[in-house]
Amino acid sequence: MKIIRSSDVVIKFLLDLIMKGEVKPGDKLPSTENLAKKIGTSVISAREAVQNLSAVGLVEISHGRGIFMTEGAPVIEELLEARKIVESRNAMMAAQNIDPGGLKNIEDLLAEMDRDIERGDIDSFSEMDYEFHLSIGKAAGNRILLKVLENIRDLLRY
């Protein structure tokens, strides 16, 4: 059973508004308090979601004014390009920092991904692929790059 974070629910809600054209670049979004009430999550989860969207340039937080959709919302190609850069750096750093336990974990994930391909299990492969990249990010030892990778992945997933 897959656990869904409350902040993911808020992100999906906001991305749905954007995709449906209900929110356009420059539009003001609901406050985190209003988002939390509307969706049924905590204000903390709504705040985390907005911060994640802000970190990748989808929204701008203007203290005292509100939350606004940016003019230059990232497109899939830009997200993939950013992911490639972050993952390349993570791989280099992980190669220098990884311990034997972390290396064994990555090898096990690769073996599981191979089995998923043989079975044709795309869903399991996708989940293992994410865990693989996350493990490399953790082995790299840079919490900021790991968080950026998670944010990019969340946006691509939606």
Side-chain angles (χ1 to χ4, degrees), residues 1-13:
M1 181 176 184
K2 193 173 180 179
I3 298 173
I4 298 173
R5 299 179 309 188
S6 294
S7 61
D8 286 346
V9 174
V10 178
I11 289 172
K12 183 171 181 350
F13 174 81

Side-chain angles (χ1 to χ4, degrees), residues 89-109:
R89 181 69 180 169
N90 276 343
M92 183 187 76
M93 292 169 63
Q96 296 170 345
N97 299 331
I98 198 162
D99 61 40
L103 184 57
K104 171 90 171 83
N105 180 51
I106 288 172
E107 289 170 344
D108 291 346
L109 288 167

Side-chain angles (χ1 to χ4, degrees), residues 49-146:
V50 169
Q51 290 290 339
N52 288 345
L53 292 175
S54 175
V56 295
L58 194 61
V59 301
E60 180 181 328
I61 303 167
S62 178
H63 297 285
R65 289 187 50 231
I67 306 162
F68 298 87
M69 179 152 162
T70 60
E71 296 291 333
V75 293
I76 290 176
E77 291 84 14
E78 290 173 320
L79 288 169
L80 292 172
E81 182 180 355
R83 186 175 81 173
K84 187 187 305 183
I85 292 166
V86 171
E87 287 182 346
S88 295
R89 181 69 180 169
N90 276 343
M92 183 187 76
M93 292 169 63
Q96 296 170 345
N97 299 331
I98 198 162
D99 61 40
L103 184 57
K104 171 90 171 83
N105 180 51
I106 288 172
E107 289 170 344
D108 291 346
L109 288 167
L110 286 170
E112 183 63 31
M113 290 165 65
D114 286 342
R115 287 190 289 275
D116 289 338
I117 288 172
E118 289 172 10
R119 290 190 305 261
D121 189 343
I122 302 298
D123 290 335
S124 180
F125 177 86
S126 293
E127 191 60 36
M128 291 300 106
D129 179 65
Y130 173 65
E131 291 300 323
F132 168 76
H133 290 282
L134 197 62
S135 294
I136 291 172
K138 288 177 183 173
N142 186 310
R143 293 174 296 166
I144 303 300
L145 289 178
L146 181 61

